[in-house]
């Protein structure tokens, strides 16, 4: 059964692949390499509490002026029910990943969703 406000897991994975394809198609220098389902070791970090956490995808951004890894979280929701809290958790995970792991200090962290959140204008679009 799906969590309130979130579509079921199969549709969630379809959203994830659609979001990744959209990112690769619209951001010239981005290429996705791994997803959490296929390579969890490439998307996971050890948290400060000792528990591990992961991002949905890991790719590379290879621009002539900047090259780095990209870690992303995809949220395919039917409504923005609890999306602001999900974004706050994402920011916390991104901070820990970049602050506690030297090799990830210059990396990018992207939050991708299909519904607006944290606003009063357009929240029902």
């Amino acid at each position: 059964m799906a969590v309130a406000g979130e579509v079921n897991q199969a549709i969630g994975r379809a959203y994830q692949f659609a979001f990744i394809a959209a990112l690769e198609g619209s951001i010239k220098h981005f290429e996705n390499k791994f997803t959490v389902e296929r390579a969890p070791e490439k998307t996971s970090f050890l948290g400060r509490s000792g528990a591990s956490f992961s991002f949905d995808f890991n790719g590379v951004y290879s621009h002539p002026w900047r090259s780095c890894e990209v870690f992303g979280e995809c949220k395919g929701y039917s409504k923005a029910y609890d999306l602001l809290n999900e974004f706050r958790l994402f920011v916390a995970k991104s901070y820990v990943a970049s602050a506690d792991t030297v090799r990830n200090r210059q990396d990018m962290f992207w939050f991708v969703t299909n519904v607006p959140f944290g606003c009063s204008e357009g929240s029902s679009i």
Side-chain angles (χ1 to χ4, degrees):
M1 183 100 195
V3 176
E6 186 176 9
V7 295
N8 68 39
Q9 292 298 319
I11 294 175
R13 277 192 293 282
Y15 269 119
Q16 178 182 354
F17 291 119
F19 290 152
I20 290 169
L23 290 170
E24 287 180 320
S26 63
I27 300 173
K28 183 178 179 179
H29 302 286
F30 173 70
E31 180 184 2
N32 189 59
K33 296 292 186 181
F34 306 103
T35 61
V36 68
E37 293 89 5
R38 294 185 182 153
E41 71 282 359
K42 301 290 187 178
T43 60
S44 299
F45 291 87
L46 184 62
R48 292 181 175 176
S49 66
S52 64
F53 62 88
S54 63
F55 294 95
D56 290 336
F57 67 87
N58 175 343
V60 293
Y61 181 78
S62 297
H63 188 278
W65 297 336
R66 180 177 185 191
S67 183
C68 64
E69 283 187 271
V70 175
F71 294 91
E73 194 75 22
C74 299
K75 297 294 180 185
Y77 279 57
S78 57
K79 294 187 181 205
Y81 173 70
D82 198 31
L83 205 46
L84 185 56
N85 283 333
E86 292 290 332
F87 178 71
R88 289 178 178 139
L89 290 171
F90 167 78
V91 171
K93 290 187 332 183
S94 301
Y95 174 77
V96 169
S98 63
D100 293 358
T101 310
V102 174
R103 69 180 285 276
N104 298 106
R105 290 210 174 128
Q106 301 300 317
D107 291 340
M108 294 180 181
F109 296 86
W110 296 347
F111 188 80
V112 186
T113 186
N114 60 324
V115 293
F117 65 97
C119 60
S120 58
E121 299 282 331
S123 60
S124 62
I125 293 176

